[in-house]
Amino acid sequence: MATATPLPTPLARLSQPVAEWVESVRALTQPADVYWCEGTDAEREEFTARLVRDGELTRLDPEQFPDCHLYRSNPADVARVEHLTYICTRSKEDAGPNNNWMEPQAAHAKMRELFRGCMRGRTLYVIPYCMGPVDSPLARCGVEITDSTYVALNMLIMTRAGRPALERIAREGTFVRGLHSVGELDPNRRFIMHFPEELSIESFGSGYGGNALLGKKCHALRIASWQAREEGWLAEHMLIVGLQSPKGETHYVAAAFPSACGKTNLAMLIPPESMPGWKVFTVGDDIAWLHPGADGRLWAINPEAGYFGVVPGTNRETNRNAYDMIRRDTLFTNVALTADNQPWWEGLPSGSPRIDWQGRPFDPARGPAAHPNSRFTVSARRNPSYSPHADDPRGVPISAIIFGGRRREVAPLVYEARSWAHGVLVGASVASETTAAAVGQVGVVRRDPMAMQPFCGYNFADYWRHWLTVGGKLARPPRIFHVNWFRRDPQGKFLWPGFGENLRVLAWMLERCADKARAVESGIGLLPQPKDLDTAGLDVSPERLSALLSVDAELWRKEVAETRAYLSKYGGRIPAEMWAELEKTAAALG
Ligand code: GTP
Ligand code: SPV
Ligand code: MN
């Protein structure tokens, strides 16, 4: 006689440490009920249906945008809040001048009072998740507790969530604890606290993006960067993309650009028609975990499973892959609506907004129709250029690392660092114009080393030292480059067409890695001359290309002085190698 299949163990009984933590949070927050996420498709559909029933999600035109929904956040909760984000280490110096700091016991006490009874009448969701392929030794697990169905739904898309993650936690015994409540969404009662020494996160008062999807910036960057230093690897704000040349060779590059400075777009790049034979494969669009391999190379995994991408600017011309990807099964947050219930945003060449991101009749006098930080949440598997190696437990080997920023002047289109140590200085010197991804003024240049200013979970000086240490372990280190797609002419127009055309710059880098392309020493690093780039079919005049590749010694002397002043804030903790590289650059500039 056939035996009946045994029922699976209830999730609440898989891991005692998780169950005990959930019970302590339940006692503190007093939810109406507790729900453990299995991570199935049916569960995602159920959460979506629940949000539609509650009036929190709007179903979009099912003909043009099947299984797509719109969520409108509270208008006072639309971006990350860096001024309310803290690193709580026992020693203030360990957090560094780059972070807000609070003493851990004081922070816990403050948060305990906010969390007390905050989930009354709500469901407490338990979301076990794995950052990275569940069978990868490079992956790490966490559990997020939240009282927001919208946050739970996003986490189910953005991470490998559910039973397999909890089974791994049960085997390993360790996990990052992330406690989240939307509270009353009061900006005056909002804190995002990190306790790297305890591997825990406490977030209260926001339901938006990096403030609330705790697997993303809180765990995969702030906590993971701390773990990475202890364990000898790097957790970085980087995309990972595979580039297959017409000869059929594939190389992977990782690129760190600040928020809303082009990572998703570069990760999904479409080669221009005048570069036939090139293919592009996305491994990740926002975060990379980089590990020195036994072969002396640097190996990368993308800890995420979905994209939380910037909507404005996405169209068929700039990024057809993204445009096609977000036409089904996508959760939109804070976009506008057309009269026929289709999503609309600035940068679309057709259609017109009827209802703005706040649900009001659109009035151009009140600003853009879609919020500048409106986002799409979509599974990475929906990406037409999804790499077959994105789920490889070993990751992919990295040939080049790219740093970049949004600079209307100073930084040329591309240059190469003289060495790994110089590359660390180049990364540490990144400056970029602020964007709508964080609350605050937009368009002001600020220092954003390695695009990690908002995300490094410890003292930057120790972080740069760690970068030098990791480089020292690599027999075949990636070459390091800096790019700027955002240089402008005196009229304020972008000098470089960007998007797909960026492949021309990447192709030069790969040739450099193979010791095949030329470069000239410029004082700040190695630059191509216009003739070194593949410009066949490129609609950019030779004068404009020269302007893009020019280094203004006067501006750069100023830049070096600013970098020196910035690094001085870190005092004696700055590695001597970095000062030596800065003095080399200063001397070369005269
Ligand atoms: P986060 O998700 O915040 O980390 O942003 P991101 O770095 O992934 O930036 P994303 O690719 O979403 O681009 C942000 C904005 O920059 C969008 O409006 C893009 O259209 C625009 N953008 C991206 N690449 C380029 C480029 O090469 N040139 C120009 N001019 N704009 C670009
Ligand atoms: C960023 O700001 O770099 C993002 C969006 O990727 S968020 O998830 O809100 O951090
Ligand atoms: Mn980002």
Side-chain angles (χ1 to χ4, degrees):
M1 220 171 75
T3 47
T5 327
L7 281 173
T9 311
L11 289 170
R13 280 208 245 120
L14 273 180
S15 158
Q16 202 181 336
V18 175
E20 282 171 8
W21 178 56
V22 170
E23 176 48 31
S24 70
V25 171
R26 192 199 60 73
L28 175 68
T29 59
Q30 302 283 307
D33 55 291
V34 174
Y35 179 90
W36 292 68
C37 292
E38 283 280 356
T40 58
D41 290 343
E43 187 174 68
R44 257 171 72 178
E45 283 160 27
E46 162 56 23
F47 286 10
T48 305
R50 187 176 305 170
L51 286 164
V52 171
R53 252 192 334 265
D54 294 348
E56 288 201 62
L57 281 191
T58 306
R59 206 181 290 282
L60 298 174
D61 174 14
E63 296 282 313
Q64 294 298 320
F65 287 87
D67 298 315
C68 290
H69 297 83
L70 166 66
Y71 177 82
R72 292 195 187 103
S73 76
N74 182 302
D77 185 31
V78 294
R80 284 184 294 98
V81 283
E82 295 176 6
H83 58 296
L84 303 174
T85 299
Y86 287 75
I87 299 296
C88 309
T89 44
R90 286 188 299 262
S91 144
K92 186 174 182 189
E93 274 65 46
D94 287 342
N98 46 307
N99 282 302
N100 300 316
W101 175 83
M102 204 179 290
E103 192 279 316
Q105 293 320 314
H108 280 309
K110 188 178 198 60
M111 297 306 279
R112 206 174 305 120
E113 290 322 304
L114 293 173
F115 280 115
R116 196 181 299 285
C118 72
M119 295 192 190
R120 284 202 185 99
R122 300 179 187 167
T123 296
L124 178 159
Y125 295 93
V126 182
I127 310 156
Y129 61 84
C130 184
M131 300 310 288
V134 179
D135 57 348
S136 172
L138 313 183
R140 296 286 183 277
C141 292
V143 177
E144 174 162 356
I145 290 178
T146 181
D147 56 6
S148 160
T149 314
Y150 165 77
V151 167
L153 179 57
N154 273 277
M155 282 294 289
L156 293 183
I157 302 170
M158 293 300 297
T159 70
R160 293 158 176 92
R163 182 174 290 271
L166 190 55
E167 285 169 347
R168 178 165 166 164
I169 291 170
R171 282 196 304 277
E172 293 182 338
T174 57
F175 62 101
V176 171
R177 290 153 206 248
L179 172 54
H180 170 255
S181 170
V182 288
E184 316 85 46
L185 293 178
D186 176 354
N188 297 314
R189 283 162 52 86
R190 182 175 290 166
F191 288 102
I192 325 293
M193 303 280 196
H194 303 75
F195 305 88
E197 289 151 330
E198 304 164 20
L199 301 186
S200 79
I201 305 155
E202 294 175 6
S203 166
F204 189 90
S206 165
Y208 206 87
N211 300 332
L213 315 180
L214 302 185
K216 198 172 176 58
K217 299 301 170 48
C218 300
H219 175 165
L221 289 178
R222 298 196 190 95
I223 299 289
S225 60
W226 180 284
Q227 282 184 296
R229 180 184 45 167
E230 291 186 334
E231 299 171 10
W233 50 282
L234 298 166
E236 300 298 327
H237 190 204
M238 290 179 178
L239 67 94
I240 308 162
V241 66
L243 306 165
Q244 187 185 318
S245 74
K247 287 188 207 122
E249 252 180 50
T250 303
H251 284 274
Y252 295 90
V253 306
F257 308 151
S259 302
C261 291
K263 287 182 301 302
T264 302
N265 278 272
L266 196 68
M268 302 180 66
L269 177 150
I270 308 239
E273 272 172 26
S274 49
M275 291 182 79
W278 283 89
K279 290 202 177 104
V280 173
F281 300 101
T282 315
V283 178
D285 85 320
D286 197 51
I287 300 179
W289 285 358
L290 306 159
H291 290 251
D295 61 355
R297 291 191 289 177
L298 195 57
W299 290 74
I301 61 163
N302 168 17
E304 300 190 280
Y307 310 127
F308 183 66
V310 175
V311 179
T314 307
N315 64 49
R316 276 189 69 85
E317 296 304 311
T318 55
N319 188 343
R320 199 183 65 234
N321 275 339
Y323 184 76
D324 291 346
M325 172 176 74
I326 61 179
R327 292 192 76 88
R328 60 168 64 232
D329 226 351
T330 299
L331 180 51
F332 289 89
T333 300
N334 290 346
V335 295
L337 282 180
T338 62
D340 45 6
N341 214 34
Q342 293 185 30
W344 194 91
W345 55 85
E346 277 66 21
L348 278 185
S350 61
S352 59
R354 165 73 66 86
I355 306 288
D356 75 6
W357 65 275
Q358 297 189 54
R360 308 172 303 188
F362 173 59
D363 173 358
R366 287 194 287 222
H371 190 277
N373 192 37
S374 52
R375 297 264 168 178
F376 55 77
T377 318
V378 65
S379 165
R381 291 176 185 286
R382 297 252 337 114
N383 176 2
S385 61
Y386 190 63
S387 165
H389 292 287
D391 293 292
D392 193 325
R394 294 171 311 167
V396 294
I398 298 297
S399 301
I401 287 176
I402 309 171
F403 295 116
R406 190 183 273 271
R407 294 297 296 269
R408 47 179 66 233
E409 50 185 10
V410 186
L413 180 64
V414 61
Y415 64 98
E416 182 186 337
R418 301 181 288 260
S419 62
W420 181 272
H422 181 224
V424 172
L425 174 72
V426 167
S429 313
V430 166
S432 191
E433 292 156 25
T434 50
T435 66
V439 168
Q441 212 187 333
V442 169
V444 292
V445 175
R446 71 156 176 185
R447 296 278 142 196
D448 194 347
M450 277 84 167
M452 286 286 279
Q453 166 52 43
F455 308 122
C456 182
Y458 62 103
N459 189 316
F460 257 151
D462 300 341
Y463 165 84
W464 296 318
R465 186 176 298 279
H466 180 54
W467 262 81
L468 292 169
T469 305
V470 169
K473 283 194 251 171
L474 300 172
R476 296 154 74 189
R479 294 219 193 183
I480 300 181
F481 299 85
H482 185 283
V483 301
N484 177 21
W485 313 140
F486 300 94
R487 202 145 149 174
R488 304 205 198 198
D489 67 14
Q491 286 71 47
K493 272 196 67 183
F494 290 119
L495 283 166
W496 179 247
F499 300 101
E501 305 292 355
N502 294 335
L503 181 58
R504 298 175 192 277
V505 175
L506 301 176
W508 174 77
M509 292 177 188
L510 295 189
E511 294 273 281
R512 287 292 301 163
C513 293
D515 282 323
K516 286 190 196 139
R518 269 175 317 215
V520 287
E521 188 34 89
S522 74
I524 65 166
L526 301 147
L527 264 87
Q529 293 190 302
K531 63 174 180 331
D532 300 325
L533 293 178
D534 175 355
T535 52
L538 175 68
D539 187 20
V540 171
S541 70
E543 298 75 46
R544 195 149 22 127
L545 204 52
S546 299
L548 277 159
L549 291 169
S550 64
V551 175
D552 181 325
E554 192 54 48
L555 286 179
W556 270 97
R557 278 192 286 272
K558 210 168 132 235
E559 187 74 14
V560 166
E562 279 168 21
T563 303
R564 190 180 284 124
Y566 171 72
L567 295 180
S568 299
K569 287 201 306 189
Y570 295 85
R573 271 170 115 122
I574 295 281
E577 293 98 306
M578 287 175 69
W579 287 125
E581 290 299 332
L582 188 66
E583 292 323 319
K584 261 190 236 171
T585 302
L589 287 167

